[in-house]
Amino acid sequence: MIILVINAGSSSVKFTLFRMEDEAELASGIVGRIGLAGTRLNYKNFKGGNLGKEVFVADAVEAVGIIAGVLTDDRYGVIDGEKDITAVGHRVVHGGEKITDSVIIEDSVKEIIKKCSTLAPLHNPHNFKGIEASERHFPGALQVAVFDTAFHATIPEHAFLYGLPYRLYHQDRIRRYGFHGISHKHVSGEAARFLDMPLDALKLITCHLGNGCSITAVEGGKSIDTSMGFTPLEGLMMGSRCGDLDPAIVLFLMEHKQLGYKEINELLNKQSGLLGVADIGSSDLRDILSAKASGNHQAGIAVKTFTYRIKKYIGAYIAAMGGVDAIVFTAGIGENSPIIRESVCDGLQRTNGLKIILDPEKNKAGNNKLGEIQSCLSRVKILVVPTNEAREIAQQTLQLLQPLEKNGMT
Ligand code: ADP
């Protein structure tokens, strides 16, 4: 069975084609800079074929047309025709409160995705366009939506409520939703397999550290709390997002700096975080680490603030779960930066009784592959687990298809 995974964003459509019998990645790529000058298709297939070329597409519908074309192309293609694709799994950021799992896309689901656009205006409208485009170009395939919020549907009310008047939750659904759920779920499963332990017996803290950063307490395979909230702005400090903030700062900026909605939105989402604190003109951690290495004080303090916040959340989630069996690092920074992992864990070795102790050599050698990096004296496992959201979407899509297949409905 062949499943195509589509992640349609504001200016790009990413795709991966899986053969599910052995979960082999047959092809993958991106149509990037959609709607801008220099729109490009970058593509590779499992036979070693690589293609990079300028394409002329105006929107996601045309981008998915390009994807359908290259997958079936005589020279670069890996399938005979679009009908070889049984299902398309779409990443959708927000499913609100009603959707708590992956679903086959029907009209009612589309309505919910559209409605949730007010909660995720930067993502849901584009995810929706990807679905419509895929219905057009792969009409014979079942369309499935896999949500970033769904994994966090298990967070209990006391953890998802804010200390605001209850009516704001009741009427306006202002609450913690949490994001990056596809990744947190994926690495939790991978960690349990690696540890050879049932997921439902484990207390995990998963740290997804990329451009966007979030951290989740996963107890018995279920998210019980996570750092991103009503929007992906809350929680950890990120590449260019501020994370946790005293909300009165916003009031101050309005009253004393005369900043309006647009400026404050830009400030908090695009000019803050590592970018804003380090102030070296880059949000890329590699640039900030090299500025720190050459003695730039602000770059140094940006890194310290970043890791200190992660450590505080680890402490909070140990308290929330009454312990922890493993701390998991994932995504661009979590998988690739020994310095950040070391700085996060520094001081945790003194945590009473728990003993969270990193092994410096294993940490240095532990990049970009599934493995453990704790010292033999550590009671808590510390893992690097590469995330793979496309694979997780394909797996969840397959799980939805299996009962249909048994009934001969695919
Ligand atoms: P996104 O959230 O956009 O998917 P990624 O998961 O790709 O982001 O992570 C991007 C971040 O990972 C950037 O801050 C980048 O600097 C960081 N990163 C990637 N490789 C390294 C590395 N070798 N060392 C330190 N940071 C890295």
Side-chain angles (χ1 to χ4, degrees):
M1 180 189 294
I2 290 182
I3 291 178
L4 174 65
V5 172
I6 286 201
N7 183 352
S10 57
S11 62
S12 71
V13 178
K14 293 183 196 151
F15 62 98
T16 312
L17 191 73
F18 289 95
R19 179 176 59 209
M20 295 313 289
E21 285 73 12
D22 56 353
E23 284 194 15
E25 248 183 68
L26 298 180
S28 64
I30 178 169
V31 180
R33 296 183 61 83
I34 298 169
L36 304 166
T39 311
R40 276 186 77 76
L41 164 71
N42 286 310
Y43 170 85
K44 62 176 190 216
N45 68 27
F46 77 104
K47 298 176 216 158
N50 275 296
L51 178 65
K53 64 170 186 177
E54 195 170 350
V55 288
F56 299 92
V57 300
D59 57 18
V61 175
E62 290 179 18
V64 175
I66 294 284
I67 293 167
V70 73
L71 291 174
T72 54
D73 181 74
D74 283 346
R75 181 154 170 218
Y76 291 100
V78 288
I79 50 173
D80 293 333
E82 286 112 52
K83 59 183 178 337
D84 290 354
I85 297 173
T86 306
V88 183
H90 297 269
R91 177 190 182 213
V92 182
V93 164
H94 217 309
E97 278 193 314
K98 292 216 173 98
I99 297 186
T100 58
D101 214 336
S102 311
V103 287
I104 292 169
I105 299 173
E106 296 166 351
D107 287 348
S108 58
V109 174
K110 285 197 202 165
E111 278 312 305
I112 294 174
I113 296 172
K114 270 204 268 184
K115 227 172 158 191
C116 288
S117 289
T118 49
L119 299 172
L122 301 180
H123 296 98
N124 269 37
H126 304 290
N127 305 153
F128 189 79
K129 277 188 197 153
I131 292 168
E132 287 194 319
S134 167
E135 284 174 336
R136 170 117 39 116
H137 292 287
F138 306 103
L142 214 65
Q143 310 289 332
V144 168
V146 180
F147 294 86
D148 254 323
T149 46
F151 182 56
H152 301 300
T154 45
I155 294 178
E157 195 174 16
H158 66 261
F160 74 61
L161 275 182
Y162 290 107
L164 290 167
Y166 193 80
R167 66 183 145 77
L168 288 179
Y169 167 58
H170 193 64
Q171 289 166 12
D172 302 300
R173 293 294 176 239
I174 295 179
R175 53 159 284 180
R176 174 180 312 285
Y177 288 100
F179 299 89
H180 287 151
I182 298 167
S183 175
H184 287 293
K185 181 171 194 237
H186 183 75
V187 299
S188 302
E190 293 290 294
R193 252 188 300 283
F194 177 80
L195 296 170
D196 200 16
M197 294 270 293
L199 185 55
D200 58 13
L202 284 172
K203 291 174 179 171
L204 303 173
I205 296 176
T206 52
C207 311
H208 178 108
L209 311 176
N211 281 315
C213 301
S214 68
I215 178 164
T216 298
V218 184
E219 189 168 7
K222 296 191 166 78
S223 168
I224 63 131
D225 204 350
T226 193
S227 58
M228 283 180 169
F230 180 58
T231 74
L233 186 56
E234 193 186 350
L236 301 177
M237 191 167 119
M238 312 182 206
S240 65
R241 282 176 249 166
C242 58
D244 291 337
L245 202 66
D246 178 347
I249 294 171
V250 175
L251 304 178
F252 178 91
L253 293 173
M254 289 166 73
E255 191 175 357
H256 298 288
K257 304 285 266 182
Q258 283 77 46
L259 297 191
Y261 168 86
K262 262 189 163 173
E263 290 142 316
I264 294 179
N265 190 27
E266 183 83 7
L267 182 89
L268 303 182
N269 276 295
K270 304 258 174 75
Q271 298 167 2
S272 297
L274 288 167
L275 174 75
V277 180
D279 202 19
I280 58 158
S282 171
S283 63
D284 191 309
L285 182 74
R286 285 164 289 199
D287 297 335
I288 293 163
L289 286 175
S290 64
K292 174 181 185 277
S294 22
N296 182 313
H297 169 75
Q298 258 177 259
I301 202 69
V303 172
K304 188 78 195 165
T305 309
F306 178 74
T307 57
Y308 175 68
R309 287 204 172 186
I310 301 167
K311 186 167 24 197
K312 277 211 296 190
Y313 266 98
I314 290 175
Y317 288 166
I318 289 172
M321 294 192 289
V324 61
D325 298 303
I327 295 170
V328 175
F329 287 98
T330 193
I333 296 172
E335 291 167 31
N336 293 299
S337 181
I339 296 179
I340 295 296
R341 296 192 296 257
E342 187 185 319
S343 177
V344 168
C345 294
D346 184 36
L348 292 176
Q349 60 272 41
R350 297 189 298 272
T351 322
N352 264 0
L354 273 174
K355 290 195 180 150
I356 301 169
I357 309 170
L358 206 63
D359 180 298
E361 294 312 314
K362 284 190 202 160
N363 182 36
K364 267 191 211 129
N367 275 359
N368 214 5
K369 57 176 190 276
L370 177 61
E372 51 191 14
I373 54 171
Q374 80 282 349
S375 133
C376 54
L377 299 172
S378 184
R379 287 213 187 135
V380 174
K381 303 277 185 189
I382 308 173
L383 308 180
V384 174
V385 180
T387 193
N388 192 331
E389 285 156 303
R391 188 171 297 270
E392 180 65 34
I393 292 169
Q395 287 164 346
Q396 291 193 33
T397 301
L398 179 67
Q399 270 173 23
L400 271 177
L401 291 186
Q402 274 163 342
L404 299 181
E405 258 215 321
K406 274 193 201 133
N407 296 328
M409 287 165 71
T410 55

